[in-house]
Amino acid sequence: MKIYELLVGAGALLPVTALVAVFLFVAREILEAKRRNKSSSRKKRATSRLMAYDIERNYWALKSTRHCLEKITDQIAKPDGLDNLSIRVGSNGEKYFQCKERDAGTSSLPIRKVFTGSLTSNLLALADLDERQFEATLDAIDAINELNHVINSMVAYVSNDLANGYGRSSELMEGFVEYAEAELNECEEAFKKFYKTITGNDLNNHRVR
């Protein structure tokens, strides 16, 4: 039965003032529900936009890391090629992947940082707003953490700063590159899936900063 039919029926039993009070109460509840729904929709759109921004930045970190792996592969094939690789630390702590090229000097690539801020800070809000998106965000955070692990491992391998006394060798670097490329492929798939979930669009472009 519709609300106005209930109110009409109640009119025969209630005074006019009580009927008006009931009507105003119902009207306020309807307006408040609409306001809450609009607020939730705006919050969800804003949250999705921030998370998409960070995914685009992490996509650039992934692409940049993949490019570094390609250079490592090129040097593995050369006699003493690993000696051409190094990590330089800048004055502000930023790191650069460097590779000596016979005819082109030394190339230097910034080692990108990963970003999880907008994803982790909005987890509790997402738990209330959208359970599906909440679960997808957890998967994306796992992928970002894995990307960060690959980057840190690459720095350790190139710097010859390995645990347990291992020394850098072509065989060891080749095994690392194989592992890292597989992990990056999985991270890329996770990023694309998450980006599609929160934006409805394909992840085709990266964001440098």
Side-chain angles (χ1 to χ4, degrees):
M1 184 181 293
K2 295 184 177 166
I3 293 175
Y4 79 88
E5 292 176 338
L6 290 173
L7 294 176
V8 170
L13 303 173
L14 297 174
V16 173
T17 53
L19 189 61
V20 170
V22 171
F23 176 79
L24 291 176
F25 172 78
V26 172
R28 278 198 302 268
E29 288 299 307
I30 293 174
L31 291 174
E32 180 62 20
K34 289 183 177 179
R35 186 193 68 78
R36 285 195 299 267
N37 287 336
K38 287 183 179 179
S39 176
S40 295
S41 296
R42 286 195 300 269
K43 186 181 295 185
K44 184 179 176 181
R45 285 196 300 270
T47 299
S48 295
R49 187 171 181 178
L50 288 172
M51 292 192 296
Y53 180 86
D54 271 358
I55 289 296
E56 290 167 359
R57 291 198 291 176
N58 287 318
Y59 196 32
W60 175 233
L62 186 150
K63 288 181 175 180
S64 178
T65 303
R66 186 174 277 153
H67 187 46
C68 292
L69 293 178
E70 291 171 356
K71 286 190 170 292
I72 293 174
T73 299
D74 290 341
Q75 295 305 315
I76 290 174
K78 300 176 182 179
D80 300 321
L82 295 182
D83 293 338
N84 295 328
L85 303 175
S86 63
I87 300 294
R88 180 174 69 84
V89 180
S91 58
N92 294 319
E94 70 278 17
K95 295 178 181 178
Y96 299 86
F97 176 94
Q98 293 192 309
C99 181
K100 292 181 182 178
E101 306 286 353
R102 177 177 298 178
D103 300 322
T106 300
S107 62
S108 185
L109 301 171
I111 296 176
R112 303 293 174 177
K113 295 181 179 180
V114 302
F115 301 90
T116 59
S118 66
L119 283 76
T120 56
S121 63
N122 288 297
L123 272 178
L124 291 179
L126 282 174
D128 290 331
L129 293 172
D130 190 324
E131 183 177 356
R132 174 172 167 266
Q133 191 163 312
F134 170 77
E135 295 293 338
T137 303
L138 292 177
D139 292 339
I141 291 173
D142 286 342
I144 295 170
N145 289 336
E146 190 57 42
L147 170 60
N148 192 48
H149 175 68
V150 169
I151 292 172
N152 290 336
S153 297
M154 181 183 71
V155 170
Y157 273 86
V158 173
S159 302
N160 201 15
D161 185 21
L162 302 175
N164 301 321
Y166 286 108
R168 186 174 64 176
S169 66
S170 295
E171 293 77 14
L172 199 63
M173 290 293 282
E174 190 172 357
F176 165 70
V177 169
E178 183 178 351
Y179 152 79
E181 287 177 342
E183 290 298 318
L184 291 186
N185 289 339
E186 290 185 8
C187 290
E188 184 173 20
E189 288 303 312
F191 289 171
K192 289 182 176 181
K193 180 179 179 181
F194 180 65
Y195 195 83
K196 185 76 171 180
T197 298
I198 62 176
T199 68
N201 300 318
D202 294 328
L203 177 60
N204 295 319
N205 300 315
H206 61 261
R207 190 179 294 270
V208 177
R209 60 176 62 87

